[in-house]
Amino acid sequence: MRQRLRSILKWGCTATTVLLLVVWVGSAWWSAMYLSADRFFGMAISHGALEIVPMGGSAGLRAIWIFGRHSHPGITWWFVLEGSFNSIPLWALVLPVAIPTAVLWLRDHRRAPGLCRKCGYDLRGANHKVC
């Protein structure tokens, strides 16, 4: 049961990491913006960053999505926190998922004690450490 859970977690984290990387790289050329129904805030994924912008409220309007292509592709590499405009680079969201994913993959490829480090042959009970 534990091995199955670990496998599900490993593959789920891998899929999430790949998705975030695709969104990060793709956002250099394309953007997606969401405007809330009450126009209280807007969120966008653009130029490799998640941007959150407070907006003035307007009652009675629907939430909308806007997609577009950039005329000047590029990636934002650092945080921008300036009063009403906040920009968080997507690499900051990729790292907390990618690091545990890498650890899970590396832990599955370790050799158990007593096995040859090169080929995995069982050396328990043998007088030598290498086959």
Side-chain angles (χ1 to χ4, degrees), residues 12-31:
C13 286
T14 301
T16 304
T17 301
V18 169
L19 178 66
L20 284 171
L21 285 171
V22 167
V23 168
W24 179 33
V25 172
S27 70
W29 292 275
W30 292 86
S31 65

Side-chain angles (χ1 to χ4, degrees), residues 6-117:
R6 183 185 211 149
S7 178
I8 291 170
L9 183 62
K10 179 174 73 171
W11 284 103
C13 286
T14 301
T16 304
T17 301
V18 169
L19 178 66
L20 284 171
L21 285 171
V22 167
V23 168
W24 179 33
V25 172
S27 70
W29 292 275
W30 292 86
S31 65
M33 178 184 280
Y34 172 76
L35 299 174
S36 65
D38 56 5
R39 299 291 198 269
F40 182 67
F41 73 95
M43 285 182 14
I45 294 179
S46 176
H47 294 290
L50 173 65
E51 300 167 354
I52 303 168
V53 182
M55 305 174 81
S58 298
L61 297 174
R62 297 180 341 168
I64 59 170
W65 282 91
I66 302 170
F67 297 97
R69 185 175 168 94
H70 299 298
S71 57
H72 302 290
I75 289 187
T76 302
W77 288 100
W78 206 242
F79 298 86
V80 177
L81 305 171
E82 297 176 354
S84 64
F85 178 79
N86 299 310
S87 177
I88 302 165
L90 289 177
W91 63 259
L93 301 176
V94 172
L95 276 182
V97 178
I99 291 172
T101 303
V103 169
L104 285 168
W105 278 97
L106 290 174
R107 290 187 115 198
D108 279 356
H109 291 292
R110 279 195 208 164
R111 297 279 185 206
L115 301 181
C116 175
R117 291 182 186 167

Side-chain angles (χ1 to χ4, degrees), residues 113-124:
L115 301 181
C116 175
R117 291 182 186 167
K118 290 185 179 181
C119 68
Y121 182 75
D122 190 357
L123 295 172
R124 290 175 286 194

